[in-house]
Amino acid sequence: DAGVIQSPRHEVTEMGQEVTLRCKPISGHDYLFWYRQTMMRGLELLIYFNNNVPIDDSGMPEDRFSAKMPNASFSTLKIQPSEPRDSAVYFCASSLGGGAFNEQFFGPGTRLTVL
Amino acid sequence: AQSVTQPDIHITVSEGASLELRCNYSYGATPYLFWYVQSPGQGLQLLLKYFSGDTLVQGIKGFEAEFKRSQSSFNLRKPSVHWSDAAEYFCAVGTSGTYKYIFGTGTRLKVLA
């Protein structure tokens, strides 16, 4: 398996622009997680899905952030409008089965820079 | 509330020396504990995990960790560090009833030749 795939790997945009990050989970995995990593706050869970349905979005920082999972093999995280403080590395992870004991497999991340 | 503390932000060791990275957690019940490693520009890779049973857990790349309930700790160890072990290491706790991991802030390991 190719593992979790994220695109783009790097994104540089200007403040106010819309940003869309993409994720393809490991085939057969039924949970998908979006994380944000910053120096100040470390790794934070933004939202997670089970069978394409958002379960917990309490970590989404603001209404400017939205996430969708239209099918089992694709998810997006959108920021509109983007702000410099959104600059971070965004990780997507997937797992087979629920429960905190299930290993989450992480993608390589998208490094977002908002100027 | 659940929390994970990694008290060492940076650690530097010489190649061939032993290594111990500290992790303390706060959780009312038996936690699910994980150590992940993040190499530069890469995603996180699972090193090992603990759910129950033997408190000494073996992982990949020669790493092991020991769960000590009395100390609320899950320290990561390696007897002899290799230059390729230079990376950032994250301890995480998963709590029953949720599907969330709570990550520590990470420890960045530097290995001197």
Side-chain angles (χ1 to χ4, degrees):
Chain A
D1 199 314
V4 176
I5 299 173
Q6 291 187 247
S7 65
R9 292 294 307 275
H10 302 272
E11 176 80 38
V12 180
T13 190
E14 293 189 346
M15 183 173 62
Q17 296 298 307
E18 177 179 296
V19 175
T20 299
L21 312 181
R22 297 172 176 79
C23 175
K24 177 180 169 57
I26 292 173
S27 177
H29 282 190
D30 54 350
Y31 281 80
L32 183 139
F33 305 82
W34 281 101
Y35 289 88
R36 178 171 68 176
Q37 184 181 41
T38 61
M39 290 291 291
M40 292 297 296
R41 300 174 67 91
L43 266 164
E44 303 173 279
L45 177 66
L46 300 177
I47 185 172
Y48 75 90
F49 295 81
N50 174 219
N51 291 326
N52 315 336
V53 177
I55 302 300
D56 186 342
D57 64 355
S58 60
M60 296 285 262
E62 307 171 29
D63 291 345
R64 298 185 296 107
F65 286 70
S66 63
K68 294 182 180 180
M69 193 165 185
N71 57 61
S73 60
F74 184 66
S75 176
T76 60
L77 178 67
K78 186 176 294 187
I79 308 173
Q80 165 64 18
S82 59
E83 297 182 4
R85 60 193 168 119
D86 302 330
S87 297
V89 180
Y90 291 81
F91 288 102
C92 175
S94 69
S95 69
L96 178 61
F101 49 84
N102 289 91
E103 178 182 353
Q104 294 181 20
F105 293 81
F106 284 76
T110 296
R111 181 174 295 277
L112 173 65
T113 302
V114 183
L115 303 175
Chain B
Q2 300 88 6
S3 66
V4 177
T5 302
Q6 293 181 248
D8 304 305
I9 299 174
H10 297 277
I11 283 186
T12 300
V13 299
S14 298
E15 192 170 19
S18 63
L19 172 70
E20 182 169 26
L21 302 182
R22 296 183 290 166
C23 173
N24 293 95
Y25 66 90
S26 173
Y27 181 58
T30 299
Y32 305 110
L33 295 162
F34 306 83
W35 274 100
Y36 278 84
V37 60
Q38 183 181 23
S39 298
Q42 303 296 315
L44 280 72
Q45 180 185 21
L46 182 68
L47 285 175
L48 48 78
K49 57 188 176 184
Y50 171 79
F51 301 149
S52 63
D54 192 346
T55 57
L56 185 62
V57 180
Q58 302 297 320
I60 63 171
K61 304 186 180 188
F63 285 92
E64 65 178 27
E66 186 171 12
F67 171 61
K68 292 185 177 180
R69 184 188 302 276
S70 61
Q71 299 176 20
S72 297
S73 69
F74 188 57
N75 294 348
L76 182 70
R77 301 194 294 249
K78 187 170 185 178
S80 177
V81 171
H82 188 263
W83 65 266
S84 60
D85 294 324
E88 189 154 21
Y89 292 80
F90 292 90
C91 182
V93 60
T95 58
S96 60
T98 76
Y99 306 108
K100 299 181 180 182
Y101 286 5
I102 298 169
F103 283 88
T105 50
T107 297
R108 187 172 296 277
L109 174 66
K110 182 177 180 180
V111 180
L112 301 177

